[in-house]
């Protein structure tokens, strides 16, 4: 039995009201809530990302939504300085 891993997208959702922000759990998986900076980081389904982001932006307590840039970052690291003893 093979398990299919769904592609997911990280979002930072800046909110006005943290109590109301708990309802974002219906849209995806809440990973972190910052009480001081008033944002929620959550993961959503990557295939339904556009329509989910539009739904989130329409909520009265949401100020703005930022996508995670993790996919655009290079994850290949090479040794730049190799010591001569190796």
């Amino acid at each position: 039995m093979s398990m299919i891993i769904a592609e997911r997208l990280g979002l930072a959702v800046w909110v006005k009201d943290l109590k109301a922000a708990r309802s974002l759990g219906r849209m995806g998986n809440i990973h972190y809530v910052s009480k001081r900076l008033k944002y929620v980081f959550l993961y959503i389904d990557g295939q339904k990302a556009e329509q989910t982001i539009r739904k989130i932006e329409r909520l009265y307590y949401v100020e703005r939504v930022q996508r995670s840039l993790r996919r655009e970052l290079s994850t290949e690291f090479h040794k730049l300085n190799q010591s001569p003893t190796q």
Side-chain angles (χ1 to χ4, degrees), residues 12-52:
V13 181
W14 300 86
V15 296
K16 299 173 192 170
D17 181 15
L18 286 172
K19 270 192 177 178
R22 284 189 278 181
S23 67
L24 288 171
R26 291 180 290 142
M27 308 282 185
N29 297 331
I30 294 177
H31 180 69
Y32 180 75
V33 177
S34 172
K35 293 178 183 177
R36 187 172 64 89
L37 297 176
K38 290 191 174 184
Y39 76 89
V40 177
F41 192 85
L42 72 147
Y43 288 104
I44 61 171
D45 184 7
Q47 294 175 347
K48 300 176 184 175
E50 290 303 319
Q51 68 188 37
T52 306

Side-chain angles (χ1 to χ4, degrees), residues 70-80:
R70 189 171 184 190
R71 288 186 194 164
E72 286 84 41
L73 294 176
S74 174
T75 56
E76 294 190 23
F77 304 102
H78 301 284
K79 289 185 179 179
L80 298 176

Side-chain angles (χ1 to χ4, degrees), residues 37-68:
L37 297 176
K38 290 191 174 184
Y39 76 89
V40 177
F41 192 85
L42 72 147
Y43 288 104
I44 61 171
D45 184 7
Q47 294 175 347
K48 300 176 184 175
E50 290 303 319
Q51 68 188 37
T52 306
I53 290 171
R54 282 195 299 270
K55 277 185 191 178
I56 292 171
E57 287 175 333
R58 279 187 258 145
L59 298 171
Y60 72 93
Y61 55 86
V62 172
E63 289 183 4
R64 69 177 187 216
V65 178
Q66 289 181 317
R67 290 173 171 252
S68 170

